[in-house]
Amino acid sequence: MCIDTERMLQIPLFGGGCMTRWDSISGQLLERLEFPCRQVTSCCFGGANLDQWFVIPARKEMDFAAI
């Protein structure tokens, strides 16, 4: 998981096929982004302005036809 520039928590759901974004103060779910793979393992921000989002899936049970 990681914290974005707005101090919100980004959590990948391994086995859930999505990323979730949570308010780090209230604990409220803000967003849910679905992926074509089930095993979403980690995330980070990069680029000069930290405006690029990188998400990494695991190969376990991955359907390469979905990519």
Side-chain angles (χ1 to χ4, degrees):
M1 69 180 86
C2 65
I3 300 287
D4 63 24
T5 57
E6 297 175 341
R7 296 186 175 209
M8 300 298 132
L9 186 60
Q10 304 276 343
I11 302 176
L13 298 180
F14 187 84
C18 68
M19 288 289 303
T20 53
R21 185 173 189 246
W22 299 82
D23 185 305
S24 60
I25 303 296
S26 71
Q28 177 183 5
L29 176 63
L30 302 173
E31 295 178 63
R32 180 182 176 103
L33 178 63
E34 300 291 329
F35 283 87
C37 58
R38 291 192 38 76
Q39 316 304 10
V40 184
T41 61
S42 61
C43 62
C44 67
F45 291 92
N49 298 312
L50 295 176
D51 58 354
Q52 296 177 11
W53 193 38
F54 299 91
V55 178
I56 315 245
R59 287 185 69 176
K60 182 178 179 181
E61 299 176 19
M62 182 176 246
D63 178 7
F64 289 99
I67 297 175

